[in-house]
Amino acid sequence: YGVTLLPNMRLMAPETGTTPTLVHFVSAGHWVFWNTGRAESPLHTLFRRLYPAACAELLDRMWLGATFSSTHDIVAYDGEPFWGVVRAVLCLQCNFLGSKQRECESFVGPFCQYCWHVTL
């Protein structure tokens, strides 16, 4: 990622040997990649290593619903993500509907590791 996580949970820039107070993840730091069937990014992966409980509560969940103003929430689902459904949709979009989004790099061909179960 361009930074190294030290044992004291500080980030170090290897080029300079410094431990900056603030780190900005540019471009590729936000890009999604697929790891063991889940969508992740370098920023998400680092946040999980630094703050596992907060990451589980804030980023590793799926929420489906509607918010009206600041007073009303209608929650249809709040829990573990449906990664199988997400992978199936991406398989269809990338291989059959012609989508060219960056995530399609992980979904090459209808029989790739994430798509074979959808196309059989």
Side-chain angles (χ1 to χ4, degrees), residues 36-99:
T36 63
R38 303 172 52 117
E40 296 191 9
S41 71
L43 180 59
H44 185 174
T45 302
L46 182 62
F47 189 78
R48 181 182 294 117
R49 287 187 63 198
L50 290 171
Y51 308 104
C55 188
E57 182 65 29
L58 298 172
L59 301 177
D60 292 340
R61 302 181 62 78
M62 181 179 280
W63 185 88
L64 179 64
T67 300
F68 298 97
S69 183
S70 61
T71 58
H72 295 84
D73 288 339
I74 297 174
V75 179
Y77 180 78
D78 184 9
E80 291 295 314
F82 297 115
W83 289 118
V85 173
V86 174
R87 289 189 303 267
V89 168
L90 283 168
C91 285
L92 292 172
Q93 285 180 336
C94 297
N95 293 300
F96 300 106
L97 300 178
S99 178

Side-chain angles (χ1 to χ4, degrees), residues 77-120:
Y77 180 78
D78 184 9
E80 291 295 314
F82 297 115
W83 289 118
V85 173
V86 174
R87 289 189 303 267
V89 168
L90 283 168
C91 285
L92 292 172
Q93 285 180 336
C94 297
N95 293 300
F96 300 106
L97 300 178
S99 178
K100 302 294 181 207
Q101 63 190 17
R102 192 178 171 285
E103 281 185 84
C104 290
E105 293 175 9
S106 298
F107 294 85
V108 179
F111 299 107
C112 74
Q113 66 177 335
Y114 299 124
C115 295
W116 66 266
H117 66 282
V118 175
T119 56
L120 290 180

